[in-house]
Amino acid sequence: MTKTYRPIVPSQLAEQLNKAFYSAEPHTICREIGRALTDFNVSEIAKETGLQRTSIYRAFGSERLPNFATVLAVLTAMGLQLKVAPKRGAMRRAPAQRNFRA
């Protein structure tokens, strides 16, 4: 039997996941990514990311946290991007001097 997937509206998906990201709680974020994956063909996500299907289910369906590369790969395969923005209402602080390597 072939599974039928709901149509995905990227802006709604992004809004749903951003709510989880606002929590700044890794388990909440990963759980929400796992919920969002139910609307996708995980076999296709696995092909696109080079990950095993079972690894994807395990990464976002348990209390174990996936590595950052897995999160980025899956979000990219879902048609999303991760970006950094200033936290709303955060006080601006002088940045600490750091030596960054190019």
Side-chain angles (χ1 to χ4, degrees), residues 41-49 77:
N41 180 333
V42 177
S43 293
E44 291 296 320
I45 297 285
K47 283 180 193 172
E48 197 169 325
T49 61

Side-chain angles (χ1 to χ4, degrees), residues 11-62:
S11 61
Q12 289 177 346
L13 178 59
E15 183 178 328
Q16 171 188 343
L17 292 177
N18 278 331
K19 286 179 185 175
F21 275 99
Y22 289 139
S23 76
E25 211 305 294
H27 290 292
T28 300
I29 294 165
C30 290
R31 204 171 16 256
E32 199 58 42
I33 292 171
R35 283 190 193 117
L37 278 168
T38 63
D39 293 333
F40 287 85
N41 180 333
V42 177
S43 293
E44 291 296 320
I45 297 285
K47 283 180 193 172
E48 197 169 325
T49 61
L51 299 167
Q52 296 291 320
R53 199 172 50 94
T54 54
S55 296
I56 294 171
Y57 284 122
R58 212 171 319 138
F60 298 102
S62 70

Side-chain angles (χ1 to χ4, degrees), residues 71-93:
V71 173
L72 285 178
V74 169
L75 289 176
T76 300
M78 293 168 79
L80 300 170
Q81 67 180 359
L82 188 61
K83 71 182 202 180
V84 177
K87 188 174 181 179
R88 293 182 188 155
M91 290 180 54
R92 195 164 184 171
R93 299 178 193 174

